[in-house]
Amino acid sequence: MISFASFCVIFTILFTKIPSVKSQSLPPNGELSFSPRLLDSVLQDYAFRAFSRHRPRTGVVYDGNVPSNLTGCTVSAVRLRSGSLRKRGFHGYKEFDIPKGILENPYVERVILVYHYLGNWSSVYYPLPGYSFLTPVVGLLAYNAVNLTAKGLPELDLRVSENPILIKFENLGVWPDGVLPKCVFFDLFGGVEFDRLLNGSICSSVTQGHFGIVVEERMPAPVPAPPKMPEYPIAGGEGSGGGGGRKKGWWVGGSVAGGVLLAALLVVLVLWVRWCSGRKRIGKMKDAAEGGAPLTVAAVGRAKVPVAMGTRTKPILENEYVS
């Protein structure tokens, strides 16, 4: 018989989800999912570990180590008093110049500023379609410094009250002519913002996050389409060239009909000219007949009829030619 306590233990083992720790999660398509928020949590852990190797002092920057699967990234941390940060700022923290007037929410007595340098992982964790990175992505995040061994801490809300935070980049990559580099800002909620550069290589921000300089990729010029060959329709077909064939057939038919009509008009014109010429010739003959020598009218009985005049030439007998 299984005791009630043993049954409870077996039930707990079978139906309780055992958590597992993975460096990256696998989405349904089987490809690695690179989560920036997961990366922030991992780098916070390794940045805090840098304090354990030293006797931590306020205002001193400590460089941490990163796991082997993040080779190319670097992480650093510095612990500051909130009052000192608000009154003096903190200048020269890697690429960041932090001005005075910084406020954190919620308020804490001491704050740890964690610095990220993503190197060749920049476009992996922060892909930006249509743009190329001229600099690696760098980040600045603030945490509560009450526990230097804590993991998975939430970030403090870091804001400026006077001048903005400046991010001074060096060794910008080469970009093509005709395009303008831009600052890009990635916030902690997945938002992306662009801004203009200051003095050619400086970005500014009013809050924490990740920053870089990008340039818009130039799309290649479209290849001109080859000239379209004329399509000749197939008899009885209704393919892509059927509409053009029908138009061409109508054009040919109209040309033939126009030629026949023109020929008919020419024939009618010739016949009309010949008819007019005949009528004119007949009219002339009538005029000539009517304009001849008039005949003498004589009465024959009760009627009057034309009578030819007497012969004017005297007849000559044949014997008169004989001498």
Side-chain angles (χ1 to χ4, degrees):
M1 294 291 293
I2 302 175
S3 64
F4 180 78
S6 300
F7 177 80
C8 292
V9 171
I10 295 173
F11 181 86
T12 303
I13 294 175
L14 291 177
F15 294 94
T16 301
K17 184 178 179 181
I18 302 175
S20 59
V21 178
K22 296 182 179 180
S23 59
Q24 300 294 344
S25 60
L26 286 175
N29 58 9
E31 297 180 357
L32 284 175
S33 175
F34 297 94
S35 169
R37 299 302 291 141
L38 179 59
L39 179 65
D40 293 342
S41 179
V42 171
L43 294 181
Q44 177 264 316
D45 178 26
Y46 281 87
F48 275 43
R49 291 184 188 184
F51 292 112
S52 63
R53 303 195 306 268
H54 308 275
R55 185 179 179 181
R57 293 188 299 170
T58 301
V60 177
V61 177
Y62 295 94
D63 295 328
N65 297 322
V66 296
S68 59
N69 61 343
L70 289 176
T71 301
C73 295
T74 61
V75 64
S76 302
V78 60
R79 186 176 63 169
L80 301 169
R81 286 187 173 88
S82 296
S84 175
L85 180 62
R86 184 167 55 255
K87 291 179 181 179
R88 301 183 182 88
F90 192 74
H91 298 277
Y93 183 30
K94 306 296 183 179
E95 286 89 352
F96 291 90
D97 269 349
I98 304 170
K100 63 180 182 179
I102 293 292
L103 303 175
E104 69 276 355
N105 184 32
Y107 173 79
V108 293
E109 185 177 352
R110 284 182 173 85
V111 62
I112 292 180
L113 300 179
V114 175
Y115 165 83
H116 299 169
Y117 177 89
L118 300 189
N120 54 349
W121 292 91
S122 300
S123 59
V124 175
Y125 282 95
Y126 292 96
L128 205 58
Y131 291 86
S132 298
F133 283 95
L134 296 181
T135 65
V137 171
V138 296
L140 181 70
L141 302 180
Y143 299 91
N144 189 353
V146 67
N147 185 0
L148 298 182
T149 61
K151 298 180 180 180
L153 289 177
E155 294 84 2
L156 301 175
D157 184 14
L158 202 68
R159 297 280 175 174
V160 301
S161 60
E162 298 179 14
N163 298 321
I165 300 171
L166 298 181
I167 307 97
K168 300 179 179 180
F169 291 95
E170 297 181 358
N171 302 324
L172 270 66
V174 179
W175 63 88
D177 296 333
V179 294
L180 186 65
K182 303 176 183 178
C183 293
V184 60
F185 165 62
F186 303 93
D187 63 24
L188 301 182
F189 309 101
V192 179
E193 296 180 9
F194 295 94
D195 198 1
R196 62 185 180 89
L197 278 173
L198 303 176
N199 297 328
S201 61
I202 300 176
C203 297
S204 62
S205 177
V206 297
T207 185
Q208 61 186 348
H210 290 82
F211 309 87
I213 297 178
V214 297
V215 65
E216 191 171 0
E217 295 178 351
R218 306 187 79 179
M219 298 299 294
V223 179
K228 187 176 180 181
M229 299 300 293
E231 298 179 358
Y232 299 97
I234 301 174
E238 296 182 356
S240 60
R246 286 192 293 271
K247 291 180 179 179
K248 186 175 181 180
W250 280 108
W251 184 83
V252 173
S255 300
V256 173
V260 172
L261 181 62
L262 182 60
L265 291 176
L266 289 175
V267 172
V268 172
L269 180 62
V270 171
L271 293 177
W272 181 77
V273 171
R274 292 184 63 183
W275 179 78
C276 290
S277 299
R279 289 293 302 270
K280 187 175 181 181
R281 188 169 56 253
I282 294 172
K284 289 182 179 180
M285 292 175 64
K286 286 184 178 181
D287 292 340
E290 292 176 356
L295 298 176
T296 303
V297 178
V300 178
R302 295 182 179 180
K304 292 183 178 181
V305 296
V307 178
M309 295 178 62
T311 304
R312 294 181 181 181
T313 305
K314 182 179 179 181
I316 301 175
L317 298 178
E318 295 181 357
N319 54 5
E320 292 182 1
Y321 288 96
V322 180
S323 54

